[in-house]
Amino acid sequence: MKLILLGAPGAGKGTQAEILAQKLGVPSISTGNILRAAVKNGTPVGLLAKSFMDAGALVPDDVTIGVFKERMEDPDCRNGYILDGMPRTLPQARALDENGIEIDCALSIEISDQEIIDRMGGRRFCPECGATYHIVSAPPKEEGVCDRCGKPLEIRRDDEPETVKNRLKVYHAETEPLLGHYAERKKLLTVDNQPTIEATTRVICETLGIK
């Protein structure tokens, strides 16, 4: 299955992508993680992307598409993939089409802006290994400490309230139009966000026909 997960920042796309990837046996490809790795490694594309990411703005399309195309050349993408955070704009979606990258379905997780603001305020990440947590829905075993490597957890700058509001504004202006793009192609499905990760996974699997 070649699947795109859509939804506002903080809707749970990354978490659901990881779960679905295991169920389907295909890789979950997060452009955000790829870009953050580039930032951490100090690559030219990482330095270019950093100023946009820190402000909660979208990384330019040419940078995002370049990183994505490199990842798609890996052998594990031959039998399908799940895209999280790509495409984020109509030009990116058209670029996928123009490059002959087929998509079976675009699934949107629907959630209100206020829920997003409340949710993202509780997110934490490990700057050492990249593991992510949430103080309510997916807390670490020990408060403030990464389960994997024992390093102190941090709040990403782009999870701070004012940055989240800006990210939502950008989402509604730049990314939300993708719903119409895929609806026109009869490839859009939507699910309502649920109170728990497990419940959201359940409705996604029911919608996609996954057991």
Side-chain angles (χ1 to χ4, degrees), residues 47-74:
L47 295 175
L48 183 61
K50 187 176 186 301
S51 61
F52 294 93
M53 294 169 68
D54 285 348
L58 292 177
V59 176
D61 288 347
D62 58 340
V63 177
T64 303
I65 292 170
V67 173
F68 174 75
K69 288 178 70 175
E70 287 182 356
R71 178 66 179 87
M72 290 296 294
E73 293 174 359
D74 292 342

PDB file of all heavy atoms in Angstrom, residues 47-74:
ATOM      1  N   LEU A  47      21.006  23.090   7.249  1.00  0.00           N
ATOM      2  CA  LEU A  47      21.189  24.487   7.627  1.00  0.00           C
ATOM      3  C   LEU A  47      20.169  25.378   6.930  1.00  0.00           C
ATOM      4  O   LEU A  47      19.638  26.330   7.514  1.00  0.00           O
ATOM      5  CB  LEU A  47      22.613  24.937   7.284  1.00  0.00           C
ATOM      6  CG  LEU A  47      23.741  24.239   8.057  1.00  0.00           C
ATOM      7  CD1 LEU A  47      25.103  24.690   7.529  1.00  0.00           C
ATOM      8  CD2 LEU A  47      23.631  24.546   9.552  1.00  0.00           C
ATOM      9  N   LEU A  48      19.861  25.032   5.682  1.00  0.00           N
ATOM     10  CA  LEU A  48      18.879  25.804   4.923  1.00  0.00           C
ATOM     11  C   LEU A  48      17.494  25.654   5.528  1.00  0.00           C
ATOM     12  O   LEU A  48      16.720  26.608   5.609  1.00  0.00           O
ATOM     13  CB  LEU A  48      18.881  25.321   3.467  1.00  0.00           C
ATOM     14  CG  LEU A  48      17.963  26.050   2.489  1.00  0.00           C
ATOM     15  CD1 LEU A  48      18.349  27.521   2.385  1.00  0.00           C
ATOM     16  CD2 LEU A  48      18.037  25.390   1.120  1.00  0.00           C
ATOM     17  N   ALA A  49      17.169  24.436   5.972  1.00  0.00           N
ATOM     18  CA  ALA A  49      15.836  24.162   6.512  1.00  0.00           C
ATOM     19  C   ALA A  49      15.646  24.689   7.931  1.00  0.00           C
ATOM     20  O   ALA A  49      14.519  24.982   8.347  1.00  0.00           O
ATOM     21  CB  ALA A  49      15.579  22.657   6.497  1.00  0.00           C
ATOM     22  N   LYS A  50      16.719  24.836   8.692  1.00  0.00           N
ATOM     23  CA  LYS A  50      16.631  25.122  10.119  1.00  0.00           C
ATOM     24  C   LYS A  50      15.863  26.397  10.433  1.00  0.00           C
ATOM     25  O   LYS A  50      15.019  26.431  11.338  1.00  0.00           O
ATOM     26  CB  LYS A  50      18.027  25.204  10.738  1.00  0.00           C
ATOM     27  CG  LYS A  50      18.014  25.339  12.265  1.00  0.00           C
ATOM     28  CD  LYS A  50      19.421  25.306  12.818  1.00  0.00           C
ATOM     29  CE  LYS A  50      19.406  25.294  14.336  1.00  0.00           C
ATOM     30  NZ  LYS A  50      18.723  26.457  14.917  1.00  0.00           N
ATOM     31  N   SER A  51      16.121  27.456   9.705  1.00  0.00           N
ATOM     32  CA  SER A  51      15.459  28.730  10.008  1.00  0.00           C
ATOM     33  C   SER A  51      13.953  28.636   9.802  1.00  0.00           C
ATOM     34  O   SER A  51      13.184  29.222  10.562  1.00  0.00           O
ATOM     35  CB  SER A  51      16.037  29.847   9.130  1.00  0.00           C
ATOM     36  OG  SER A  51      15.823  29.559   7.760  1.00  0.00           O
ATOM     37  N   PHE A  52      13.522  27.880   8.804  1.00  0.00           N
ATOM     38  CA  PHE A  52      12.093  27.706   8.564  1.00  0.00           C
ATOM     39  C   PHE A  52      11.460  26.854   9.656  1.00  0.00           C
ATOM     40  O   PHE A  52      10.380  27.169  10.162  1.00  0.00           O
ATOM     41  CB  PHE A  52      11.865  27.054   7.194  1.00  0.00           C
ATOM     42  CG  PHE A  52      12.284  27.904   6.034  1.00  0.00           C
ATOM     43  CD1 PHE A  52      13.544  27.782   5.489  1.00  0.00           C
ATOM     44  CD2 PHE A  52      11.412  28.833   5.489  1.00  0.00           C
ATOM     45  CE1 PHE A  52      13.942  28.573   4.414  1.00  0.00           C
ATOM     46  CE2 PHE A  52      11.784  29.635   4.417  1.00  0.00           C
ATOM     47  CZ  PHE A  52      13.061  29.493   3.884  1.00  0.00           C
ATOM     48  N   MET A  53      12.117  25.771  10.035  1.00  0.00           N
ATOM     49  CA  MET A  53      11.586  24.861  11.037  1.00  0.00           C
ATOM     50  C   MET A  53      11.483  25.540  12.398  1.00  0.00           C
ATOM     51  O   MET A  53      10.494  25.364  13.119  1.00  0.00           O
ATOM     52  CB  MET A  53      12.468  23.617  11.129  1.00  0.00           C
ATOM     53  CG  MET A  53      12.439  22.766   9.866  1.00  0.00           C
ATOM     54  SD  MET A  53      13.703  21.465   9.851  1.00  0.00           S
ATOM     55  CE  MET A  53      13.089  20.414  11.173  1.00  0.00           C
ATOM     56  N   ASP A  54      12.483  26.331  12.763  1.00  0.00           N
ATOM     57  CA  ASP A  54      12.466  27.018  14.061  1.00  0.00           C
ATOM     58  C   ASP A  54      11.298  27.988  14.173  1.00  0.00           C
ATOM     59  O   ASP A  54      10.763  28.214  15.256  1.00  0.00           O
ATOM     60  CB  ASP A  54      13.786  27.774  14.292  1.00  0.00           C
ATOM     61  CG  ASP A  54      14.925  26.839  14.656  1.00  0.00           C
ATOM     62  OD1 ASP A  54      14.656  25.651  14.952  1.00  0.00           O
ATOM     63  OD2 ASP A  54      16.092  27.284  14.628  1.00  0.00           O
ATOM     64  N   ALA A  55      10.900  28.572  13.050  1.00  0.00           N
ATOM     65  CA  ALA A  55       9.804  29.542  13.047  1.00  0.00           C
ATOM     66  C   ALA A  55       8.444  28.876  12.839  1.00  0.00           C
ATOM     67  O   ALA A  55       7.407  29.544  12.853  1.00  0.00           O
ATOM     68  CB  ALA A  55      10.030  30.579  11.953  1.00  0.00           C
ATOM     69  N   GLY A  56       8.438  27.544  12.660  1.00  0.00           N
ATOM     70  CA  GLY A  56       7.180  26.851  12.421  1.00  0.00           C
ATOM     71  C   GLY A  56       6.664  27.018  11.010  1.00  0.00           C
ATOM     72  O   GLY A  56       5.495  26.747  10.742  1.00  0.00           O
ATOM     73  N   ALA A  57       7.514  27.473  10.104  1.00  0.00           N
ATOM     74  CA  ALA A  57       7.111  27.670   8.715  1.00  0.00           C
ATOM     75  C   ALA A  57       7.457  26.442   7.881  1.00  0.00           C
ATOM     76  O   ALA A  57       8.242  25.586   8.297  1.00  0.00           O
ATOM     77  CB  ALA A  57       7.812  28.893   8.128  1.00  0.00           C
ATOM     78  N   LEU A  58       6.851  26.331   6.710  1.00  0.00           N
ATOM     79  CA  LEU A  58       7.133  25.216   5.819  1.00  0.00           C
ATOM     80  C   LEU A  58       8.515  25.364   5.184  1.00  0.00           C
ATOM     81  O   LEU A  58       8.919  26.455   4.797  1.00  0.00           O
ATOM     82  CB  LEU A  58       6.087  25.145   4.713  1.00  0.00           C
ATOM     83  CG  LEU A  58       4.664  24.772   5.130  1.00  0.00           C
ATOM     84  CD1 LEU A  58       3.743  24.823   3.926  1.00  0.00           C
ATOM     85  CD2 LEU A  58       4.623  23.401   5.770  1.00  0.00           C
ATOM     86  N   VAL A  59       9.212  24.250   5.100  1.00  0.00           N
ATOM     87  CA  VAL A  59      10.488  24.224   4.387  1.00  0.00           C
ATOM     88  C   VAL A  59      10.187  24.348   2.887  1.00  0.00           C
ATOM     89  O   VAL A  59       9.204  23.792   2.403  1.00  0.00           O
ATOM     90  CB  VAL A  59      11.227  22.909   4.682  1.00  0.00           C
ATOM     91  CG1 VAL A  59      12.511  22.804   3.866  1.00  0.00           C
ATOM     92  CG2 VAL A  59      11.526  22.799   6.170  1.00  0.00           C
ATOM     93  N   PRO A  60      10.988  25.103   2.140  1.00  0.00           N
ATOM     94  CA  PRO A  60      10.730  25.274   0.700  1.00  0.00           C
ATOM     95  C   PRO A  60      10.571  23.946  -0.028  1.00  0.00           C
ATOM     96  O   PRO A  60      11.239  22.963   0.286  1.00  0.00           O
ATOM     97  CB  PRO A  60      11.969  26.033   0.217  1.00  0.00           C
ATOM     98  CG  PRO A  60      12.439  26.784   1.408  1.00  0.00           C
ATOM     99  CD  PRO A  60      12.154  25.886   2.582  1.00  0.00           C
ATOM    100  N   ASP A  61       9.708  23.951  -1.029  1.00  0.00           N
ATOM    101  CA  ASP A  61       9.370  22.727  -1.743  1.00  0.00           C
ATOM    102  C   ASP A  61      10.579  22.037  -2.365  1.00  0.00           C
ATOM    103  O   ASP A  61      10.689  20.814  -2.328  1.00  0.00           O
ATOM    104  CB  ASP A  61       8.337  23.021  -2.840  1.00  0.00           C
ATOM    105  CG  ASP A  61       6.967  23.307  -2.268  1.00  0.00           C
ATOM    106  OD1 ASP A  61       6.753  23.039  -1.072  1.00  0.00           O
ATOM    107  OD2 ASP A  61       6.108  23.789  -3.026  1.00  0.00           O
ATOM    108  N   ASP A  62      11.487  22.814  -2.952  1.00  0.00           N
ATOM    109  CA  ASP A  62      12.612  22.185  -3.635  1.00  0.00           C
ATOM    110  C   ASP A  62      13.503  21.423  -2.660  1.00  0.00           C
ATOM    111  O   ASP A  62      14.053  20.368  -2.997  1.00  0.00           O
ATOM    112  CB  ASP A  62      13.421  23.226  -4.416  1.00  0.00           C
ATOM    113  CG  ASP A  62      13.956  24.348  -3.552  1.00  0.00           C
ATOM    114  OD1 ASP A  62      13.425  24.559  -2.437  1.00  0.00           O
ATOM    115  OD2 ASP A  62      14.904  25.023  -3.983  1.00  0.00           O
ATOM    116  N   VAL A  63      13.616  21.933  -1.419  1.00  0.00           N
ATOM    117  CA  VAL A  63      14.413  21.247  -0.401  1.00  0.00           C
ATOM    118  C   VAL A  63      13.714  19.958   0.026  1.00  0.00           C
ATOM    119  O   VAL A  63      14.313  18.882   0.074  1.00  0.00           O
ATOM    120  CB  VAL A  63      14.637  22.163   0.817  1.00  0.00           C
ATOM    121  CG1 VAL A  63      15.397  21.417   1.914  1.00  0.00           C
ATOM    122  CG2 VAL A  63      15.395  23.420   0.411  1.00  0.00           C
ATOM    123  N   THR A  64      12.423  20.070   0.318  1.00  0.00           N
ATOM    124  CA  THR A  64      11.658  18.910   0.772  1.00  0.00           C
ATOM    125  C   THR A  64      11.617  17.811  -0.282  1.00  0.00           C
ATOM    126  O   THR A  64      11.835  16.634   0.009  1.00  0.00           O
ATOM    127  CB  THR A  64      10.222  19.325   1.133  1.00  0.00           C
ATOM    128  OG1 THR A  64      10.274  20.341   2.132  1.00  0.00           O
ATOM    129  CG2 THR A  64       9.422  18.159   1.657  1.00  0.00           C
ATOM    130  N   ILE A  65      11.347  18.180  -1.514  1.00  0.00           N
ATOM    131  CA  ILE A  65      11.241  17.193  -2.582  1.00  0.00           C
ATOM    132  C   ILE A  65      12.586  16.520  -2.835  1.00  0.00           C
ATOM    133  O   ILE A  65      12.659  15.318  -3.089  1.00  0.00           O
ATOM    134  CB  ILE A  65      10.692  17.846  -3.865  1.00  0.00           C
ATOM    135  CG1 ILE A  65       9.229  18.247  -3.651  1.00  0.00           C
ATOM    136  CG2 ILE A  65      10.813  16.907  -5.058  1.00  0.00           C
ATOM    137  CD1 ILE A  65       8.648  19.109  -4.747  1.00  0.00           C
ATOM    138  N   GLY A  66      13.673  17.283  -2.746  1.00  0.00           N
ATOM    139  CA  GLY A  66      14.997  16.702  -2.924  1.00  0.00           C
ATOM    140  C   GLY A  66      15.309  15.639  -1.891  1.00  0.00           C
ATOM    141  O   GLY A  66      15.800  14.550  -2.214  1.00  0.00           O
ATOM    142  N   VAL A  67      15.000  15.930  -0.639  1.00  0.00           N
ATOM    143  CA  VAL A  67      15.231  14.960   0.433  1.00  0.00           C
ATOM    144  C   VAL A  67      14.353  13.731   0.235  1.00  0.00           C
ATOM    145  O   VAL A  67      14.786  12.584   0.392  1.00  0.00           O
ATOM    146  CB  VAL A  67      14.950  15.604   1.811  1.00  0.00           C
ATOM    147  CG1 VAL A  67      15.006  14.562   2.924  1.00  0.00           C
ATOM    148  CG2 VAL A  67      15.954  16.717   2.087  1.00  0.00           C
ATOM    149  N   PHE A  68      13.105  13.966  -0.127  1.00  0.00           N
ATOM    150  CA  PHE A  68      12.150  12.875  -0.319  1.00  0.00           C
ATOM    151  C   PHE A  68      12.581  11.946  -1.455  1.00  0.00           C
ATOM    152  O   PHE A  68      12.555  10.721  -1.332  1.00  0.00           O
ATOM    153  CB  PHE A  68      10.772  13.455  -0.606  1.00  0.00           C
ATOM    154  CG  PHE A  68       9.734  12.428  -0.967  1.00  0.00           C
ATOM    155  CD1 PHE A  68       9.169  11.615   0.002  1.00  0.00           C
ATOM    156  CD2 PHE A  68       9.339  12.275  -2.282  1.00  0.00           C
ATOM    157  CE1 PHE A  68       8.223  10.677  -0.332  1.00  0.00           C
ATOM    158  CE2 PHE A  68       8.394  11.331  -2.628  1.00  0.00           C
ATOM    159  CZ  PHE A  68       7.831  10.527  -1.645  1.00  0.00           C
ATOM    160  N   LYS A  69      12.993  12.509  -2.567  1.00  0.00           N
ATOM    161  CA  LYS A  69      13.375  11.692  -3.727  1.00  0.00           C
ATOM    162  C   LYS A  69      14.569  10.797  -3.392  1.00  0.00           C
ATOM    163  O   LYS A  69      14.644   9.652  -3.843  1.00  0.00           O
ATOM    164  CB  LYS A  69      13.690  12.596  -4.916  1.00  0.00           C
ATOM    165  CG  LYS A  69      12.461  13.240  -5.527  1.00  0.00           C
ATOM    166  CD  LYS A  69      12.810  14.162  -6.679  1.00  0.00           C
ATOM    167  CE  LYS A  69      13.300  13.392  -7.882  1.00  0.00           C
ATOM    168  NZ  LYS A  69      13.536  14.269  -9.046  1.00  0.00           N
ATOM    169  N   GLU A  70      15.502  11.304  -2.592  1.00  0.00           N
ATOM    170  CA  GLU A  70      16.636  10.491  -2.170  1.00  0.00           C
ATOM    171  C   GLU A  70      16.163   9.276  -1.371  1.00  0.00           C
ATOM    172  O   GLU A  70      16.629   8.156  -1.576  1.00  0.00           O
ATOM    173  CB  GLU A  70      17.603  11.321  -1.330  1.00  0.00           C
ATOM    174  CG  GLU A  70      18.409  12.330  -2.119  1.00  0.00           C
ATOM    175  CD  GLU A  70      19.394  13.092  -1.261  1.00  0.00           C
ATOM    176  OE1 GLU A  70      19.390  12.890  -0.021  1.00  0.00           O
ATOM    177  OE2 GLU A  70      20.153  13.885  -1.820  1.00  0.00           O
ATOM    178  N   ARG A  71      15.224   9.537  -0.455  1.00  0.00           N
ATOM    179  CA  ARG A  71      14.727   8.438   0.397  1.00  0.00           C
ATOM    180  C   ARG A  71      13.983   7.387  -0.414  1.00  0.00           C
ATOM    181  O   ARG A  71      14.077   6.178  -0.136  1.00  0.00           O
ATOM    182  CB  ARG A  71      13.808   9.021   1.481  1.00  0.00           C
ATOM    183  CG  ARG A  71      13.193   7.972   2.412  1.00  0.00           C
ATOM    184  CD  ARG A  71      14.250   7.292   3.241  1.00  0.00           C
ATOM    185  NE  ARG A  71      13.665   6.305   4.142  1.00  0.00           N
ATOM    186  CZ  ARG A  71      13.427   5.032   3.809  1.00  0.00           C
ATOM    187  NH1 ARG A  71      13.728   4.602   2.594  1.00  0.00           N
ATOM    188  NH2 ARG A  71      12.903   4.204   4.695  1.00  0.00           N
ATOM    189  N   MET A  72      13.246   7.821  -1.430  1.00  0.00           N
ATOM    190  CA  MET A  72      12.444   6.901  -2.218  1.00  0.00           C
ATOM    191  C   MET A  72      13.291   5.947  -3.054  1.00  0.00           C
ATOM    192  O   MET A  72      12.793   4.953  -3.559  1.00  0.00           O
ATOM    193  CB  MET A  72      11.510   7.681  -3.148  1.00  0.00           C
ATOM    194  CG  MET A  72      10.393   8.419  -2.430  1.00  0.00           C
ATOM    195  SD  MET A  72       9.268   7.295  -1.614  1.00  0.00           S
ATOM    196  CE  MET A  72       8.566   6.465  -3.032  1.00  0.00           C
ATOM    197  N   GLU A  73      14.573   6.235  -3.195  1.00  0.00           N
ATOM    198  CA  GLU A  73      15.457   5.359  -3.964  1.00  0.00           C
ATOM    199  C   GLU A  73      15.923   4.152  -3.157  1.00  0.00           C
ATOM    200  O   GLU A  73      16.498   3.213  -3.713  1.00  0.00           O
ATOM    201  CB  GLU A  73      16.669   6.160  -4.449  1.00  0.00           C
ATOM    202  CG  GLU A  73      16.316   7.230  -5.487  1.00  0.00           C
ATOM    203  CD  GLU A  73      17.499   8.101  -5.851  1.00  0.00           C
ATOM    204  OE1 GLU A  73      18.593   7.879  -5.268  1.00  0.00           O
ATOM    205  OE2 GLU A  73      17.339   9.001  -6.688  1.00  0.00           O
ATOM    206  N   ASP A  74      15.663   4.158  -1.849  1.00  0.00           N
ATOM    207  CA  ASP A  74      16.087   3.034  -1.013  1.00  0.00           C
ATOM    208  C   ASP A  74      15.265   1.785  -1.334  1.00  0.00           C
ATOM    209  O   ASP A  74      14.071   1.876  -1.641  1.00  0.00           O
ATOM    210  CB  ASP A  74      15.940   3.389   0.472  1.00  0.00           C
ATOM    211  CG  ASP A  74      16.918   4.464   0.906  1.00  0.00           C
ATOM    212  OD1 ASP A  74      17.904   4.691   0.178  1.00  0.00           O
ATOM    213  OD2 ASP A  74      16.700   5.079   1.960  1.00  0.00           O
TER     214      ASP A  74
END
